[in-house]
């Protein structure tokens, strides 16, 4: 091992400047004793002179837990009203002002009350860590995002509160709190986990011997993976060869109902093999309905939460593009889902998985079988658009038949079928493969009906005419398939070229910019081309207030102003669509130079209601 690699390992073991350390108490299920163990560890720290403050601790009425909590200082909870119900949440700002050396934050995967700064409690913990405060916290294994589908398969319950795996992976210490399932069930029967009247319902619905054993195994696997990673890190600190990262894992997804399941499986495989991983989507120009686009976006967001890289490629051939990208990124493993068994795949080539297995060299290809689910109804908008294409196929066939009949009555052409092939080619170029195949079938029938003796009949007298028709149908189908593929490739190339041209134009404008205002002007001219969104750039004025530097002058709500301030201070996205203050209309993204904030990019859809006026102005937030 090189000296630089050893130095990197030693430096990584030191706490980041000004950042606290996270200790996680992991359990297989509620009631195993995570909170109790956390409080015991906190008392041990307090006896050593460490300032401990309990931010939020859920005792669930357990006398032993309440007794331990009573010996610690507690931060009062914040109370808010939501739909007539009083909700209590951790006072994040109060903890930041108190600045204890150690804060206790129970139930890491908890969802905060509506209107809170962050949607999830683990985001509150990240802010505490960034402020230099050490945090002890608890979580159950069923809340890990990558295990969400596994837990559903085991228990039959869909866990809604989830936690990105990278939060646990970045923890300084992970402690597994283990309790045999039989002892946990005994505690449930005695009412030590839930109040007595709820114990029986909990046992019947969730806490069975089999479920608890399976969850216990998942918790042990998670802890073992963390120990394995720590062991490899320890070897690197000593200057010895550690289990090396070999290549990369690529998971190819489409906008189908298996996308998120594939992403979770890829995250688990990458964690066990210690591989970096990327989600890759190849846009081949095929039309997708709104449901498919939402599924694709959800899978990409899930991959980012689980620590993966998101890559978008545009090409006509999906399998070949995945192989080329795997070679460029030196990937060793490609994971894809099983393709649907469709007739056109059997006739004109296998699915992506089969092509990867056939064409890849030196790559490990894993194919995840499909999870049996009822097919989702297709969007009506998509059906209307597809039927327009099939109408084009019908019209092209009718026009080709008319043209061929008119020409044949004047000239005796030996290959009148070429007119129909031209119609198939036209439909394939203008639409997609399905309408092209429909045109080929219609042309086959029209050619037989009009030009194969006896005319005006589907009867075929001569044997050689049967072979002619079969070859015609085969050539028409192959021509349509090839033309449709070339159309998708051309469309993907045009979109890529347009994006490249826009980025090159922005790069040229920024290159010649000599000061801050010139940069804002160049960025504003580029952002003006976003027709479906309203965009603005914010900067700090002399008084420290955010003001519009470029774009349309706008008014902002208190929540939007708070989101903008938070994004500027923390260098992270906030606002609409994010997990931090998402109730506003604007999404904020900080723009920085040399880790120093330069401006704040604000984006919102134009169809979202709200006041705004035209023109550029400097209006303080």
């Amino acid at each position: 091992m090189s000296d630089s690699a050893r130095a990197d390992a030693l430096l990584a073991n030191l706490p980041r400047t000004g950042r606290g350390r996270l200790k996680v108490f992991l359990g297989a299920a509620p009631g195993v004793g995570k909170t109790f163990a956390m409080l015991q560890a906190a008392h041990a720290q307090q006896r050593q002179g460490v300032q401990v403050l309990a931010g939020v601790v859920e005792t669930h009425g357990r006398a032993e837990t309440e007794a331990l909590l009573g010996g610690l200082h507690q931060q009062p909870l914040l109370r808010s009203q939501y739909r007539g119900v009083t909700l209590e949440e951790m006072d994040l700002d109060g903890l930041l002002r108190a600045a204890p050396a150690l804060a206790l934050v129970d139930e890491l995967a908890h969802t905060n009350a509506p209107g809170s700064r962050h949607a999830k409690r683990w985001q509150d913990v990240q802010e505490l860590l960034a402020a230099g405060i050490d945090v002890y916290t608890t979580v159950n294994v069923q809340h890990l995002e990558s295990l969400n589908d596994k837990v559903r398969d085991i228990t039959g319950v869909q866990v809604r509160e989830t936690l990105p795996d990278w939060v646990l992976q970045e923890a300084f210490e992970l402690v597994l709190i283990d309790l045999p399932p039989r002892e946990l069930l005994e505690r449930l029967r005695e009412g030590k986990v839930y109040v007595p009247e709820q114990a029986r319902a909990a046992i019947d619905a969730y806490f069975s011997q089999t479920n608890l054993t399976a969850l216990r195994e998942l918790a042990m696997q998670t802890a073992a993976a963390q120990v394995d990673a720590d062991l490899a890190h320890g070897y690197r600190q000593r200057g010895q060869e550690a289990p090396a990262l070999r290549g990369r894992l690529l998971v190819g997804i489409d906008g189908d109902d298996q996308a998120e399941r594939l992403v979770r499986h890829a995250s688990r495989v990458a964690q066990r093999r210690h591989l970096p991983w990327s989600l890759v989507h190849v846009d081949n120009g095929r039309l997708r309905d709104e449901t498919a686009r939402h599924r694709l976006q959800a899978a990409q967001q899930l991959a980012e939460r689980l620590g993966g890289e998101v890559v978008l490629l545009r090409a006509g051939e999906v399998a070949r593009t995945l192989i080329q990208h795997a070679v460029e990124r030196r990937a060793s493993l490609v994971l894809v889902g099983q393709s649907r068994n469709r007739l056109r795949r059997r006739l004109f080539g296998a699915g992506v998985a089969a092509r990867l297995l056939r064409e890849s060299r030196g790559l490990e290809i894993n194919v995840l079988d499909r999870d049996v689910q009822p097919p989702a109804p297709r969007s009506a908008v998509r059906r209307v658009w597809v039927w327009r294409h099939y109408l084009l196929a019908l019209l092209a066939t009718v026009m080709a038949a008319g043209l061929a009949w008119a020409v044949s009555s004047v000239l005796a052409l030996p290959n009148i079928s070429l007119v129909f092939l031209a119609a198939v080619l036209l439909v394939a170029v203008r639409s997609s493969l399905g309408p092209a195949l429909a045109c080929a079938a219609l042309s086959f029938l029209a050619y037989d009906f009009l030009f194969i003796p006896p005319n005006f009949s589907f009867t075929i007298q001569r044997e050689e005419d049967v072979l002619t028709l079969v070859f015609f149908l085969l050539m028409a189908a192959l021509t349509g398939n090839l033309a449709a593929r070339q159309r998708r490739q051309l469309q993907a190339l045009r979109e890529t070229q347009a994006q490249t041209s826009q980025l090159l134009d922005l790069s040229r404008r920024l290159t010649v910019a000599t000061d801050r205002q010139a940069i804002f002007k160049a960025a504003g001219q580029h952002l003006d081309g976003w027709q479906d969104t309203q965009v603005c750039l914010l900067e700090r004025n002399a008084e420290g207030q955010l003001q519009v530097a470029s774009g349309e002058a706008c008014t902002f709500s208190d929540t939007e102003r708070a989101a903008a301030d938070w994004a500027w201070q923390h260098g992270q996205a906030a606002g609409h669509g994010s997990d931090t203050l998402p109730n506003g209309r604007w999404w904020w993204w900080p723009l920085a130079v040399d880790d120093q904030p330069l401006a704040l990019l604000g984006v919102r859809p134009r169809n979202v209601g709200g006041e705004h006026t035209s023109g550029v102005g400097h209006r303080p937030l």
Side-chain angles (χ1 to χ4, degrees):
M1 172 178 288
S2 65
D3 292 338
S4 61
R6 182 180 181 184
D8 291 340
L10 290 171
L11 290 174
N13 194 46
L14 297 175
R16 282 171 281 184
T17 304
R19 186 173 179 85
R21 291 181 171 181
L22 177 65
K23 184 173 183 177
V24 180
F25 295 83
L26 175 69
V32 298
K34 302 180 301 299
T35 303
F36 192 84
M38 179 183 70
L39 292 175
Q40 286 182 321
H43 275 281
Q45 291 293 314
Q46 186 170 258
R47 287 192 294 269
Q48 297 176 13
V50 176
Q51 182 188 1
V52 180
L53 183 59
V56 56
V57 176
E58 302 290 349
T59 64
H60 296 293
R62 303 164 193 160
E64 301 91 340
T65 306
E66 290 178 349
L68 275 178
L69 179 61
L72 299 172
H73 295 289
Q74 301 180 44
Q75 176 70 34
L77 300 177
L78 287 178
R79 289 178 173 82
S80 62
Q81 294 290 327
Y82 181 72
R83 295 181 178 178
V85 179
T86 301
L87 303 177
E88 293 184 337
E89 292 294 348
M90 181 180 71
D91 186 0
L92 176 59
D93 290 326
L95 280 175
L96 293 173
R97 286 192 299 268
L102 173 63
L104 307 183
V105 182
D106 207 1
E107 297 186 358
L108 186 60
H110 170 76
T111 300
N112 291 330
S116 301
R117 180 186 307 170
H118 299 297
K120 298 289 186 178
R121 185 169 288 171
W122 65 263
Q123 295 173 300
D124 296 337
V125 168
Q126 291 297 312
E127 193 162 342
L128 291 173
L129 295 173
I133 301 173
D134 292 343
V135 177
Y136 284 3
T137 188
T138 65
V139 70
N140 291 318
V141 71
Q142 67 262 26
H143 294 294
L144 289 180
E145 183 69 65
S146 66
L147 299 176
N148 189 262
D149 55 344
K150 287 292 184 183
V151 173
R152 181 196 62 204
D153 294 340
I154 293 171
T155 66
V157 177
Q158 183 73 48
V159 178
R160 300 299 178 185
E161 292 184 326
T162 57
L163 174 77
D165 290 44
W166 63 263
V167 177
L168 252 65
Q169 294 165 8
E170 290 189 352
F172 181 76
E173 187 176 358
L174 179 67
V175 181
L176 176 63
I177 308 301
D178 186 38
L179 187 68
R182 291 181 181 177
E183 293 185 22
L184 178 56
L185 288 173
E186 185 65 28
R187 295 190 64 190
L188 281 165
R189 294 187 183 96
E190 295 174 356
K192 294 182 179 180
V193 177
Y194 292 98
V195 292
E197 58 268 22
Q198 293 179 341
R200 177 58 56 186
I203 292 176
D204 294 338
Y206 190 87
F207 291 91
S208 67
Q209 179 83 23
T210 303
N211 287 355
L212 292 176
T213 302
L215 292 174
R216 188 187 188 195
E217 181 182 3
L218 289 180
M220 289 181 173
Q221 290 177 353
T222 301
Q226 188 78 357
V227 171
D228 194 17
D230 292 342
L231 180 63
H233 181 72
Y235 274 113
R236 289 193 293 271
Q237 284 183 306
R238 295 164 54 185
Q240 300 179 3
E241 287 295 332
L245 293 178
R246 298 181 178 178
R248 171 177 288 269
L249 183 150
L250 301 184
V251 52
I253 68 163
D254 200 358
D256 59 5
D257 53 0
Q258 304 294 312
E260 292 192 29
R261 179 169 174 261
L262 266 174
V263 171
R264 291 191 177 95
H265 184 76
S267 175
R268 294 195 296 268
V269 173
Q271 184 178 359
R272 292 170 186 170
R273 297 197 184 188
H274 307 292
L275 290 174
W277 64 286
S278 302
L279 178 149
V280 182
H281 170 65
V282 180
D283 185 359
N284 61 358
R286 182 170 60 88
L287 293 174
R288 289 178 175 82
D289 56 24
E290 192 69 21
T291 302
R293 289 195 293 269
H294 281 307
R295 285 173 176 167
L296 178 60
Q297 184 179 13
Q300 292 172 334
Q301 293 174 348
L302 175 61
E304 291 177 340
R305 292 199 303 270
L306 295 178
E309 176 191 25
V310 176
V311 179
L312 174 62
L313 304 175
R314 287 188 172 89
E317 180 59 47
V318 176
R320 190 169 303 169
T321 304
L322 283 175
I323 293 174
Q324 292 175 351
H325 186 70
V327 173
E328 293 172 358
R329 299 300 302 273
R330 298 183 180 179
S332 57
L333 172 61
V334 178
L335 172 65
V336 294
Q338 185 180 21
S339 302
R340 284 194 175 95
N341 189 18
R342 293 177 175 173
L343 177 61
R344 71 178 186 185
R345 285 199 176 101
R346 285 179 286 181
L347 293 177
F348 303 104
V352 173
R355 292 182 181 179
L356 286 173
L357 291 170
R358 184 174 63 246
E359 299 179 12
S360 64
R361 298 292 183 271
L363 281 175
E364 180 183 350
I365 308 296
N366 285 359
V367 182
L368 186 64
D369 62 340
R370 297 190 65 84
D371 189 13
V372 179
Q373 293 181 355
R378 293 187 176 182
S379 171
V381 176
R382 175 170 171 80
R383 283 198 297 267
V384 171
W385 178 247
V386 169
W387 279 115
R388 288 179 57 188
H389 288 172
Y390 283 99
L391 180 60
L392 174 63
L394 177 60
L395 293 177
T397 303
V398 172
M399 293 178 63
L403 178 62
W405 182 261
V407 172
S408 63
S409 62
V410 179
L411 300 175
L413 297 179
N415 294 320
I416 200 67
S417 61
L418 293 178
V419 178
F420 293 98
L421 288 179
V424 174
L425 184 62
L426 174 64
V427 172
V429 171
R430 299 292 297 178
S431 59
S432 58
L433 178 59
L437 295 180
C439 184
L442 293 174
S443 298
F444 168 82
L445 296 175
Y447 182 50
D448 179 22
F449 188 77
L450 296 176
F451 299 101
I452 298 298
N455 294 345
F456 308 109
S457 172
F458 292 108
T459 303
I460 303 175
Q461 290 182 343
R462 298 180 300 179
E463 295 182 357
E464 55 269 26
D465 288 337
V466 176
L467 187 61
T468 299
L469 284 173
V470 170
F471 272 107
F472 169 78
L473 181 60
L474 177 62
M475 293 304 298
L478 292 177
T479 300
N481 186 23
L482 179 61
R485 183 181 302 176
Q486 292 297 322
R487 177 180 178 271
R488 291 196 301 267
Q489 292 177 351
L490 180 60
Q491 184 178 0
L493 180 61
R494 286 176 176 173
E495 292 178 356
T496 303
Q497 184 179 8
Q499 291 186 356
T500 303
S501 299
Q502 292 177 0
L503 292 176
L504 181 60
D505 179 64
L506 176 61
S507 177
R508 288 172 178 171
R509 293 182 180 182
L510 293 177
T511 301
V512 299
T514 56
D515 56 17
R516 192 186 191 95
Q517 293 303 321
I519 294 176
F520 288 160
K521 182 179 179 181
Q525 291 175 349
H526 176 76
L527 297 175
D528 285 341
W530 296 12
Q531 301 297 328
D532 296 333
T533 57
Q534 183 181 354
V535 182
C536 69
L537 287 173
L538 306 183
E539 64 174 348
R540 291 282 190 189
N541 59 18
E543 290 75 23
Q545 292 181 316
L546 288 172
Q547 65 182 17
V548 177
S550 178
E552 300 178 2
C554 310
T555 57
F556 302 96
S557 66
D558 292 339
T559 301
E560 292 163 352
R561 287 195 294 268
D565 284 328
W566 192 91
W568 182 282
Q569 294 173 8
H570 294 82
Q572 301 176 19
H576 183 77
S578 71
D579 292 325
T580 301
L581 297 171
N583 295 328
R585 303 163 300 172
W586 286 85
W587 175 80
W588 303 106
W589 179 261
L591 307 178
V593 177
D594 297 332
D595 295 330
Q596 296 298 322
L598 174 67
L600 202 62
L601 173 65
V603 180
R604 77 161 191 174
R606 288 194 179 274
N607 57 0
V608 176
E611 297 179 2
H612 67 273
T613 57
S614 60
V616 177
H618 286 68
R619 297 185 56 184
L621 290 176

